[in-house]
Amino acid sequence: TLRFVPMNASIRARDLFDQQQERLGLSWIAGERGEHRVLEAVDTVARRPSLAGYLNIIYPNKVQILGTEELAWLDALDAGQRTETIEKIIRFRPLAMVISKGQPCPDDLRSAAEASDTPLWGSPRRGHELFNHLQYHLARKLAPRLTVHGVFMEIYSIGVLITGESGAGKSELALELVTRGHRLVADDVPEFTQIAPDVLDGACPDLLQDLLEVRGLGILNVRNMFGDTAVKRNKYLRLIVHLARPQPQQTPQTDGYERLIGDLGSRRLLDLDVPMITLPVMAGRNLAVLTEAAARAHILRIKGVDPAAAFMARHSHFLERAAS
């Protein structure tokens, strides 16, 4: 079951300032009443402006950075052009404007920001540092995201999402994997963010950090029970292991090819097709060992090692030799 987070993910000017203040040495110059100004993810979809960039009044950025060259360009304008340009910048309602390298703020820019409640910040950092940090931070905060019902773990250094119907044994399997030295990322509702075209980053909501619910035992704090090495804050998703319980009076039907390669498939999450392997849940099966084997086999496939293909090639060679 997929539970999509609403696509109107957003960030306030005050939140961005607080999150980056220490790292970028930000100070609030003017327009502090605009701290509730909001940038929503929908504002960044299919639009020409970028999230952050140097001053641009043709394709305005959401966060306008004013470096030495930008301030010098403003100073070169005559009084009428300068006033009109500043008004145009303000009219685009950027989330914030940032003056780099601790440069003095022009009085008319300060007055315009204060009058329009446009956040105006200063920073001792150079323009490219501001651009890199703010662009990266905003892109992650506003990236497409979803939550999936399951348990997300790190197994043999790769992120593995364990899914299945309620009562299939996902949490019990996760607990056994933790005791075998693997690490828990999130139980029940891991959050996945598409931070790059081919990367889904999974993490745990703050409310559920380090917690694992096991039927009969209740909620367990994995960090307290097994130590700091038993949990991990986030991980890239590489594989889905789906636990499927055979339905009553249903006889599993598998052809010879599936028995060779396993029940392999994929699952669409956001814009990515994530490899998925389905493991039948039946009495007497050691799911922890099977899940570890699935992770190891996936790592080998990534490296180009395919035992099924090698076996079929060996079988064909054997038939050719027998025929000759």
Side-chain angles (χ1 to χ4, degrees):
T1 301
L2 296 186
R3 294 199 287 262
F4 283 86
V5 173
M7 290 304 295
N8 59 341
S10 61
I11 187 170
R12 297 186 314 148
R14 169 58 68 179
D15 295 333
L16 178 61
F17 179 86
D18 291 343
Q19 292 162 9
Q20 297 296 309
Q21 179 181 13
E22 183 176 352
R23 187 163 195 174
L24 299 178
L26 296 177
S27 59
W28 210 300
I29 298 174
E32 196 159 358
R33 287 176 301 183
E35 63 180 355
H36 299 297
R37 187 169 290 194
V38 175
L39 173 60
E40 296 189 357
V42 292
D43 293 334
T44 66
V45 178
R47 300 286 182 89
R48 189 74 170 268
S50 62
L51 293 172
Y54 291 103
L55 179 62
N56 191 333
I57 61 174
I58 299 176
Y59 300 113
N61 304 295
K62 299 302 180 181
V63 176
Q64 300 271 25
I65 299 172
L66 290 86
T68 306
E69 292 81 0
E70 287 72 29
L71 292 181
W73 176 75
L74 283 175
D75 289 340
L77 300 177
D78 61 44
Q81 289 178 317
R82 182 184 177 96
T83 301
E84 181 182 348
T85 299
I86 292 176
E87 289 177 352
K88 185 179 294 186
I89 296 169
I90 297 296
R91 198 159 54 240
F92 285 130
R93 290 187 59 80
L95 182 69
M97 297 184 293
V98 191
I99 298 177
S100 69
K101 297 173 67 174
Q103 300 173 92
C105 177
D107 292 337
D108 52 355
L109 185 61
R110 184 199 305 267
S111 300
E114 194 66 42
S116 61
D117 296 338
T118 300
L120 177 60
W121 306 332
S123 171
R125 297 295 190 95
R126 299 169 62 184
H128 77 274
E129 294 180 82
L130 294 173
F131 168 75
N132 289 335
H133 283 294
L134 292 173
Q135 178 73 14
Y136 176 78
H137 184 75
L138 287 171
R140 286 187 66 97
K141 287 292 182 181
L142 301 177
R145 63 184 61 196
L146 57 77
T147 61
V148 183
H149 181 60
V151 184
F152 190 39
M153 301 199 65
E154 181 193 71
I155 302 175
Y156 296 131
S157 78
I158 67 170
V160 178
L161 174 65
I162 302 171
T163 63
E165 297 178 2
S166 180
K170 299 183 295 295
S171 296
E172 291 84 350
L173 172 57
L175 181 60
E176 184 171 356
L177 288 169
V178 168
T179 64
R180 297 169 73 96
H182 307 292
R183 300 204 277 182
L184 173 71
V185 181
D187 179 38
D188 193 39
V189 284
E191 296 179 344
F192 292 97
T193 305
Q194 188 170 352
I195 61 175
D198 60 345
V199 177
L200 283 176
D201 186 40
C204 182
D206 292 338
L207 181 65
L208 303 178
Q209 196 73 48
D210 304 335
L211 302 181
L212 178 67
E213 180 193 3
V214 180
R215 298 191 181 193
L217 295 178
I219 295 178
L220 307 177
N221 189 306
V222 174
R223 185 185 296 271
N224 290 345
M225 293 179 66
F226 298 96
D228 293 341
T229 59
V231 294
K232 188 170 178 64
R233 188 160 187 84
N234 66 297
K235 192 71 182 177
Y236 295 165
L237 175 61
R238 299 302 185 197
L239 176 68
I240 298 174
V241 173
H242 182 68
L243 306 182
R245 292 183 295 185
Q247 299 298 319
Q249 300 177 345
Q250 180 182 14
T251 303
Q253 295 183 359
T254 57
D255 57 26
Y257 184 69
E258 184 176 308
R259 292 194 59 179
L260 286 176
I261 66 170
D263 193 350
L264 295 176
S266 64
R267 183 171 179 177
R268 188 79 173 179
L269 300 182
L270 294 174
D271 293 332
L272 274 75
D273 290 318
V274 182
M276 181 177 73
I277 185 165
T278 300
L279 298 179
V281 179
M282 294 182 288
R285 302 197 89 197
N286 190 326
L287 290 177
V289 172
L290 293 175
T291 303
E292 288 179 334
R296 288 182 182 272
H298 180 70
I299 293 172
L300 289 176
R301 280 194 294 270
I302 293 175
K303 295 179 179 179
V305 179
D306 189 342
F311 171 76
M312 287 187 284
R314 184 188 304 172
H315 185 259
S316 298
H317 180 66
F318 177 82
L319 292 178
E320 291 173 1
R321 287 180 57 189
S324 62

